[in-house]
Amino acid sequence: MRTAATTTLLATCALLALAGCDNDDPTPPNPLPDAGTQPDAGTQPDAGTQPDAGSVQGPAVIGSTPSEGETNVLPVELFKTDAMTTAARKRVTLVFDTSMDTTAAEVTLVDRTTPANAPRTLTGTWLEYGHMLLVDIPRPESDLPPLEEETAYTLELGGLRSAEGHAVDTSHAGLGDGRLDFTTGRRDGTTEHACAHALLESPTPVTASASPTIYPATDASHEFYALTLPASGASFLGYTEVVSGESRDEPVVLYLDRPIPVTVHDTTEGEDAVASALEPARPVCLPAISHTLKFTAPGGDRFLRLTFGPTEQETFNFVFERY
């Protein structure tokens, strides 16, 4: 049974939160499914759900990633092209309030910081029965990133039309002038590096201990782990170990593929809590890396216990890095 337009828009808004990441340096992501797995771009909702054909109101953008006027936008996202290769791109998503003409998918990217750079014509992919347009911005040249750092861009939408042939509304609050304006920030090189491990390597399997006194190590730099947690009642919980370096305090980051609760304790002489922070990662290679767990391992060969859980997730992956 085909989804009604209202349900489609709700699903579309949910998809926006997942939108994410070509090979600049090592690293890739693929937040939304490949275009080939989406509904037929030419398929439209049932005739009964179409807007009034007599309306002269143009289609409006009701959501986008990045959002209108957003700053510090990540300029490079990574994804896997094959078993041994990553690539870089920047993905933009646009959500419209009505079904669009899926035969028209060209938009124009304008560099407002350096106007001497020629505008780039890009062809998007229509999803969600013509309500969502994915625009992948590739490298303009093999040695250049998809977007430059700290640069203002405009995505011109003048070539898009609704299914009834109306141009994009240039007065709607979503974009105001019918153009998507945003400014990039800096690249995230450390996450790009971790993405290379997560996207191209096979993870090392480790089973966490159910005991808080004896547990396996998960502290090799640049290692990609697949951790399995023992059952603990109706959830899962387990322990692993990190040994700190000899000479100095070391910032440690676990690049996780899901938000697993983790606590850290220094067990060298007792049971001392070590401050840690679990937070969303920058969307460099979603969903391969979605969150980071950060803490500082005190120098002097200290023994730290990591407690994963309790959680509903029995298995998950992470990249371990020391800095």
Side-chain angles (χ1 to χ4, degrees):
M1 179 176 178
R2 198 171 287 172
T3 306
T6 301
T7 304
T8 299
L9 282 176
L10 291 175
T12 297
C13 292
L15 283 173
L16 270 178
L18 302 177
C21 295
D22 167 352
N23 191 338
D24 202 283
D25 302 336
T27 354
N30 196 5
L32 287 175
D34 292 335
T37 66
Q38 303 300 319
D40 180 0
T43 304
Q44 302 296 328
D46 293 333
T49 67
Q50 300 298 323
D52 182 0
S55 172
V56 296
Q57 178 65 46
V61 174
I62 57 173
S64 66
T65 303
S67 59
E68 169 66 10
E70 185 174 344
T71 59
N72 197 33
V73 173
L74 192 68
V76 176
E77 301 163 353
L78 302 174
F79 65 102
K80 187 175 182 176
T81 57
D82 56 47
M84 300 299 294
T85 309
T86 66
R89 70 180 172 206
K90 177 61 185 179
R91 172 167 282 181
V92 174
T93 65
L94 300 163
V95 180
F96 294 85
D97 63 349
T98 188
S99 296
M100 301 293 285
D101 178 359
T102 57
T103 67
E106 285 193 349
V107 296
T108 302
L109 181 69
V110 178
D111 183 336
R112 291 186 286 117
T113 297
T114 311
N117 289 338
R120 299 167 61 187
T121 299
L122 307 166
T123 302
T125 300
W126 287 106
L127 307 177
E128 294 297 312
Y129 305 105
H131 281 267
M132 173 184 279
L133 183 68
L134 300 187
V135 181
D136 284 343
I137 304 172
R139 297 173 182 270
E141 298 179 24
S142 61
D143 59 342
L144 295 178
L147 297 177
E148 295 293 342
E149 296 177 307
E150 299 177 330
T151 300
Y153 289 96
T154 291
L155 199 65
E156 302 274 2
L157 311 180
L160 304 181
R161 298 286 184 273
S162 69
E164 291 80 22
H166 302 143
V168 174
D169 187 351
T170 59
S171 62
H172 187 272
L175 295 185
D177 59 0
R179 302 172 177 87
L180 176 62
D181 301 309
F182 61 91
T183 302
T184 58
R186 305 288 295 179
R187 294 177 65 166
D188 189 334
T190 55
T191 303
E192 287 185 30
H193 173 87
C195 284
H197 293 297
L199 291 170
L200 298 180
E201 297 176 6
S202 297
T204 299
V206 175
T207 299
S209 173
S211 167
T213 57
I214 302 174
Y215 25 76
T218 54
D219 60 355
S221 295
H222 314 300
E223 191 68 60
F224 182 36
Y225 291 102
L227 191 64
T228 299
L229 301 180
S232 177
S235 59
F236 299 91
L237 183 146
Y239 307 92
T240 71
E241 183 177 69
V242 170
V243 179
S244 70
E246 296 181 6
S247 60
R248 64 177 180 86
D249 293 354
E250 294 179 320
V252 172
V253 182
L254 275 63
Y255 294 88
L256 297 140
D257 67 350
R258 59 199 66 199
I260 302 297
V262 186
T263 55
V264 185
H265 289 85
D266 184 340
T267 61
T268 309
E269 285 102 18
E271 188 82 8
D272 300 319
V274 176
S276 62
L278 178 68
E279 55 193 22
R282 297 199 74 189
V284 178
C285 61
L286 291 171
I289 293 176
S290 68
H291 288 75
T292 59
L293 185 282
K294 299 179 180 180
F295 63 91
T296 298
D301 281 333
R302 310 292 294 183
F303 297 94
L304 308 181
R305 184 185 68 221
L306 272 57
T307 305
F308 295 89
T311 174
E312 296 179 354
Q313 303 296 326
E314 180 179 11
T315 62
F316 56 93
N317 299 333
F318 65 89
V319 177
F320 184 94
E321 294 287 359
R322 300 173 186 256
Y323 297 101

